[in-house]
Amino acid sequence: MSTSELLLEIFCEEIPARLQSRAAKDLARLLGEGLKDAGFTFSNVQTFSGPRRLTAVIEDLPLKAPDLREERKGPRVGAPEKALAGFLRGAGLSSIDQCAIEEAKKGSFYVALIEKPGLSADEALAQIVPKLMHEFPWPKSMKWGNGDFRWVRPLHGILCQLNGQRVDFEVAGVRTSNEIYGHRMMGPGPFTVSGFADYQKTLAEKGKVVLDAATRKAMISDQIAGLCKTHNLELAEDAALLDEVTGLAEWPVALLGTMDADFLSLPAEVIQLSMAKHQKYFTVRDPKTGKVAPHFIVIANLQAPDGGKAIAAGNARVLSARLADARYFWDTDLKTPLEARVEKLRDVVFHQKLGSVYDKMQRVAALARDLAPIVGADPDLAKRAAKLAKADLTSEMVVEFTSLQGVMGRYYALAEGSPPSFETRQKGAPQDEDERESAKPPHPEVRPQGASKEGALSDLPEADLIQIADAIRDHYKPQGPSDSVPTDPISVAVALADKLDTLVGFWAIDEKPTGSKDPYALRRAALGVIRLVLENGISFKLLDSFSKPFARHYVFSRSDKTARQIRAIESLSLTGVDQGFIASLREGVSEDFQSHEGLDQVTKDAWVTCNDLLSFFHDRLKVYLRDSGARHDLIDAVLTPEQDDLVSIVDRVHALGEFLETPDGEPLLAGAKRASNILRIEEKKDGKAVSDPVDPSLFAQDEEKALFTALSDAQEKAVNALKDENYTAAMAALAPLRPVIDAFFDKVTVNADDPALRANRLALLGMFRQSIRQVADFDEIAG
């Protein structure tokens, strides 16, 4: 069948850069689905996106879809007239005589033979393209004029050609043509084109439009690299900004501008964000110092006659105005100490059911103090840092640049503390961990014994001040899989406390993620906890860390003042609830609270809720480990519902993986699976689980004795290794079982005729299964 080239361009006013890539994918999907549903086959749909156009190309579209022949089964012969009439209408037939009769077991039935000629490509496109444009899934769209048609921006033209010939149809009053438009200033057009090759060449040479986004992106990167090399500068990489400017310029030209050097006294992050957010400029640095240079790079959409000098100068004036605003925010914020801002957090709502940010700060500060000894941090410093961590949310700078939350708090803390090195630090913020380390004093002051950590920040030793400031900045981290993880103990304690309080709080009010919906980014918070724990090697019980925040959330949630006066009952003991959890829960409530008769139920609710949150962590941990390359079956083999030490779980997974690669690993796995299968079959037959102890006096063969002796020794060694959290040794304790279990299966008949002998041998296999399962559940392992 002969094929044709399809060229489709939808031309409109400026499409927001953030929508272009998704729109190109949607165009390919909708056009491809529409044509395939009409019976057309082709290799692929190639799409292009840009500031003012979406383009689609199919190189091998058949000129006509194949004819269709369908057999549609109808009612039984002799059926009522109404049933026959309905069947004929549906089949597009006028008489029952046009149907064949088919014999079946249940009688004779009418069968309609429907033949539909395939649509020609131009007929199909005249139907498909208008339909897809009316149904196009823009996140935001608009209407214009008097019509009801919606598009992302007003529509100006449609080019649709098959082998260079126009396909005639109309959308929203715009009829297809063979004309295209180029760059607004350098090649406006219109230009008549015929086919994709002519289209692309005309756009580039006459229209001054680079069609392919990847090509525009490469042009921008190469031009920026050239400017940096020429002027001895270093680019502050910004992948998101590069993607955005790629969608803003049809003919990108990188220009170097000069900024007022006085603004370099502002924090580097403020300068870079002002440039990127408001002006779409790239920040450049001095490669010798790593500090922001008094220059910027702007991507113009024009090849200016003067080489872009006027454009650069104009952008410099606009940038100065933006940075003047930032300086005003900076100077204004420095007049109010962070401690004074804490009270203002009472007016900032965190969540209607979870209170204000001030309430959250109090909970986080208490939890950070609890976690500090576990992560090796100073409890008082951790609490102090947590109390100040959210203070910058009320600053002018963070209100304007919300992404600088924490970052500005660090600067304000350092400014308030005024260490000698602050002036140089705030002029050029350290760009990486090495520079941050080098910025710290070589010989930090030592706090005198008994010195208070609750005084003014300026009274703190510089080392303490820097730890608090860094914790303020880093407590939001990590905010994604590619974000860095804090390593300083104070930062880790506050970051963990902040995320755990959020997770426990939303679980306590039953606002959990559902399906694809996660409005409070709780999956990200859980992943943040997992990365903080694993990448810092922090071994602790998650359930214990859940209990105190739950108690604090519960106390906060009581609406009447009397019910708020709650204290854990010293004699509290609930069936099915871990006593350590109860003790931890009790510690989370002040001792001077009055007793509350419903506390038993509250504790049960806490146990259920926190275990549900633990299950959520297990799910997130599985995702994290699979993304890290761990086998899913090994994770399932070591993960049990009650395990809440993340480091221990991961160590078990690694130890199990290494053991299975040893000569004893796979044979022992096969033996464990064989034993498990036998036990499962016999337990089902007997109607009860194998739980009786092994009676050595009933052993009839040496292989039974050898297996029992090996199991007793392996169990003791494995238990001791597990107590020491030496999972490699625990796995190694199982290795001697391989030859004896192999010999047992070779020489011993489990299902002996003697009932007592059979029961004892099943008990011996049950002992073997239990010995294996105390380390890992081999039934979950593939193979």
Side-chain angles (χ1 to χ4, degrees):
M1 182 181 292
S2 59
T3 59
S4 59
E5 177 193 78
L6 166 64
L7 171 62
L8 173 67
E9 181 201 76
I10 304 172
F11 182 72
C12 63
E13 294 183 14
E14 274 70 13
I15 304 171
R18 68 183 184 281
L19 304 182
Q20 292 171 20
S21 177
R22 178 75 259 173
K25 294 176 182 176
D26 286 335
L27 177 59
R29 175 178 57 83
L30 293 172
L31 182 59
E33 288 175 355
L35 288 168
K36 287 177 181 177
D37 289 344
F40 290 89
T41 58
F42 47 88
S43 55
N44 69 299
V45 182
Q46 186 179 9
T47 54
F48 303 90
S49 61
R52 294 194 295 159
R53 71 197 78 229
L54 294 176
T55 304
V57 179
I58 299 177
E59 297 179 347
D60 55 351
L61 183 68
L63 290 172
K64 182 178 179 296
D67 297 336
L68 299 177
R69 189 176 187 275
E70 176 187 357
E71 290 188 4
R72 185 176 300 179
K73 189 176 181 180
R76 189 190 305 269
V77 174
E81 289 295 328
K82 286 187 176 180
L84 293 174
F87 171 63
L88 292 174
R89 282 196 304 272
L93 302 178
S94 58
S95 171
I96 199 66
D97 294 334
Q98 295 174 277
C99 298
I101 297 176
E102 183 179 287
E103 299 296 334
K105 289 183 179 180
K106 295 185 179 181
S108 301
F109 293 86
Y110 288 111
V111 176
L113 301 176
I114 305 170
E115 293 186 355
K116 293 182 179 179
L119 290 174
S120 65
D122 54 353
E123 289 175 325
L125 289 167
Q127 298 174 21
I128 293 168
V129 176
K131 182 175 183 294
L132 76 81
M133 290 182 67
H134 278 88
E135 298 175 354
F136 206 85
W138 293 109
K140 291 184 178 180
S141 58
M142 62 180 292
K143 295 191 292 186
W144 60 95
N146 299 322
D148 293 328
F149 177 75
R150 303 185 69 92
W151 196 248
V152 64
R153 293 291 185 269
L155 185 65
H156 287 304
I158 303 173
L159 171 77
C160 187
Q161 293 182 344
L162 282 172
N163 284 339
Q165 299 299 310
R166 182 174 72 93
V167 178
D168 184 38
F169 58 85
E170 181 181 301
V171 178
V174 178
R175 185 161 292 280
T176 57
S177 74
N178 290 323
E179 292 182 338
I180 61 170
Y181 296 85
H183 192 282
R184 285 188 183 275
M185 299 180 65
M186 296 194 298
F191 308 104
T192 301
V193 297
S194 178
F196 178 63
D198 184 34
Y199 167 81
Q200 192 171 24
K201 181 179 180 182
T202 300
L203 276 179
E205 296 180 359
K206 297 180 180 179
K208 299 301 179 184
V209 172
V210 180
L211 179 65
D212 183 29
T215 302
R216 295 197 303 273
K217 186 175 183 177
M219 288 174 61
I220 293 170
S221 297
D222 291 344
Q223 291 176 24
I224 289 175
L227 286 173
C228 288
K229 183 177 181 180
T230 300
H231 298 277
N232 194 27
L233 297 169
E234 178 183 79
L235 176 68
E237 298 289 343
D238 191 333
L241 180 58
L242 178 58
D243 288 338
E244 185 172 10
V245 297
T246 297
L248 294 176
E250 292 183 306
W251 192 266
V253 178
L255 302 172
L256 183 70
T258 301
M259 62 178 282
D260 188 338
D262 288 345
F263 291 117
L264 294 179
S265 60
L266 289 169
E269 294 89 343
V270 173
I271 297 172
Q272 185 167 352
L273 193 57
S274 294
M275 289 184 180
K277 179 180 177 181
H278 292 302
Q279 302 307 126
K280 317 304 177 191
Y281 302 162
F282 289 91
T283 302
V284 289
R285 295 191 289 251
D286 183 336
K288 294 180 180 179
T289 64
K291 297 179 180 179
V292 174
H295 298 283
F296 61 89
I297 293 177
V298 58
I299 307 302
N301 188 27
L302 179 68
Q303 191 75 51
D306 65 350
K309 293 180 180 178
I311 295 175
N315 279 277
R317 289 192 295 271
V318 176
L319 178 61
S320 292
R322 289 291 187 186
L323 293 178
D325 291 341
R327 172 176 282 169
Y328 169 77
F329 299 145
W330 170 252
D331 292 341
T332 301
D333 289 340
L334 288 177
K335 296 175 183 178
T336 305
L338 278 180
E339 294 280 5
R341 293 188 179 279
V342 171
E343 284 297 315
K344 296 181 181 180
L345 295 176
R346 294 181 185 273
D347 300 324
V348 182
V349 177
F350 175 64
H351 187 278
Q352 185 179 6
K353 296 180 181 179
L354 297 175
S356 65
V357 175
Y358 181 88
D359 297 320
K360 178 175 176 60
M361 175 274 295
Q362 296 279 50
R363 297 190 298 265
V364 172
L367 183 55
R369 183 178 178 83
D370 294 337
L371 293 173
I374 297 173
V375 302
D378 184 305
D380 292 333
L381 286 181
K383 181 179 179 182
R384 183 74 182 277
K387 283 189 172 182
L388 298 176
K390 307 291 185 183
D392 65 350
L393 294 178
T394 62
S395 67
E396 299 275 358
M397 190 74 81
V398 173
V399 169
E400 177 68 16
F401 301 109
T402 55
S403 62
L404 291 181
Q405 58 185 5
V407 173
M408 295 314 303
R410 176 183 184 274
Y411 280 111
Y412 297 146
L414 291 174
E416 192 175 333
S418 298
S421 57
F422 172 70
E423 183 65 23
T424 56
R425 184 179 292 107
Q426 62 96 15
K427 281 186 178 181
Q431 303 298 326
D432 52 38
E433 292 298 329
D434 291 339
E435 190 175 342
R436 288 176 191 150
E437 289 297 322
S438 65
K440 295 181 181 180
H443 302 289
E445 294 181 46
V446 178
R447 184 190 309 107
Q449 187 173 0
S452 172
K453 304 167 192 176
E454 293 294 333
L457 289 176
S458 58
D459 296 335
L460 289 174
E462 184 175 3
D464 289 354
L465 176 65
I466 291 174
Q467 287 185 78
I468 289 175
D470 286 349
I472 293 172
R473 177 195 60 206
D474 294 340
H475 83 280
Y476 292 104
K477 291 177 173 287
Q479 291 186 298
S482 60
D483 197 10
S484 60
V485 173
T487 55
D488 182 83
I490 302 296
S491 298
V492 172
V494 181
L496 275 175
D498 183 48
K499 292 169 179 61
L500 287 171
D501 175 81
T502 296
L503 287 160
V504 173
F506 280 105
W507 248 254
I509 63 174
D510 199 26
E511 290 278 357
K512 296 175 281 190
T514 56
S516 61
K517 295 182 179 179
D518 186 11
Y520 305 111
L522 301 181
R523 291 188 180 94
R524 185 176 70 185
L527 178 61
V529 172
I530 290 169
R531 292 189 61 201
L532 282 163
V533 169
L534 296 182
E535 295 183 30
N536 285 288
I538 305 168
S539 183
F540 74 108
K541 300 292 185 181
L542 273 179
L543 275 174
D544 290 348
S545 72
F546 295 162
S547 57
K548 291 181 182 179
F550 186 93
R552 292 167 186 137
H553 278 290
Y554 175 73
V555 171
F556 171 81
S557 69
R558 311 324 297 165
S559 57
D560 58 283
K561 294 183 179 179
T562 302
R564 267 194 165 193
Q565 305 298 311
I566 301 169
R567 158 177 86 79
I569 301 173
E570 293 295 334
S571 60
L572 190 62
S573 178
L574 300 172
T575 303
V577 180
D578 181 79
Q579 292 303 302
F581 179 85
I582 294 174
S584 185
L585 184 72
R586 182 164 55 242
E587 292 175 13
V589 188
S590 298
E591 286 295 327
D592 59 350
F593 286 166
Q594 301 300 312
S595 63
H596 178 52
E597 61 182 7
L599 194 60
D600 280 21
Q601 186 59 47
V602 171
T603 306
K604 289 179 181 177
D605 292 342
W607 181 247
V608 172
T609 299
C610 292
N611 272 279
D612 183 59
L613 178 55
L614 178 61
S615 177
F616 177 75
F617 265 95
H618 285 171
D619 291 340
R620 293 295 92 201
L621 178 63
K622 287 180 181 180
V623 173
Y624 172 80
L625 291 177
R626 287 168 187 167
D627 290 345
S628 302
R631 283 172 49 181
H632 68 87
D633 56 335
L634 301 190
I635 301 170
D636 293 334
V638 305
L639 190 58
T640 57
E642 69 277 3
Q643 286 183 320
D644 62 346
D645 186 332
L646 300 180
V647 172
S648 171
I649 293 169
V650 173
D651 287 346
R652 283 173 180 258
V653 172
H654 292 158
L656 178 57
E658 291 172 358
F659 174 71
L660 290 176
E661 292 177 358
T662 66
D664 294 317
E666 289 298 333
L668 185 61
L669 172 61
K673 285 184 173 291
R674 184 175 178 183
S676 183
N677 289 335
I678 292 172
L679 288 169
R680 182 170 57 253
I681 293 169
E682 298 307 314
E683 286 172 339
K684 184 177 180 180
K685 184 189 302 181
D686 296 344
K688 63 176 184 178
V690 173
S691 58
D692 294 334
V694 177
D695 184 354
S697 66
L698 295 177
F699 291 156
Q701 295 180 229
D702 292 340
E703 288 78 12
E704 295 174 89
K705 299 175 184 177
L707 179 58
F708 179 75
T709 301
L711 284 173
S712 301
D713 184 56
Q715 281 185 335
E716 182 180 356
K717 290 181 179 178
V719 167
N720 291 333
L722 290 173
K723 286 181 180 178
D724 296 336
E725 297 185 352
N726 188 342
Y727 303 112
T728 300
M731 295 293 172
L734 302 179
L737 297 178
R738 182 185 70 84
V740 290
I741 192 64
D742 289 346
F744 179 86
F745 283 131
D746 287 342
K747 303 293 184 180
V748 177
T749 301
V750 176
N751 284 315
D753 294 333
D754 183 345
L757 197 57
R758 172 182 176 274
N760 199 55
R761 288 172 178 175
L762 287 175
L764 190 56
L765 287 184
M767 183 181 179
F768 173 64
R769 178 175 63 182
Q770 184 57 36
S771 299
I772 296 292
R773 283 185 176 176
Q774 68 183 351
V775 179
D777 186 354
F778 278 36
D779 290 349
E780 297 289 343
I781 303 174

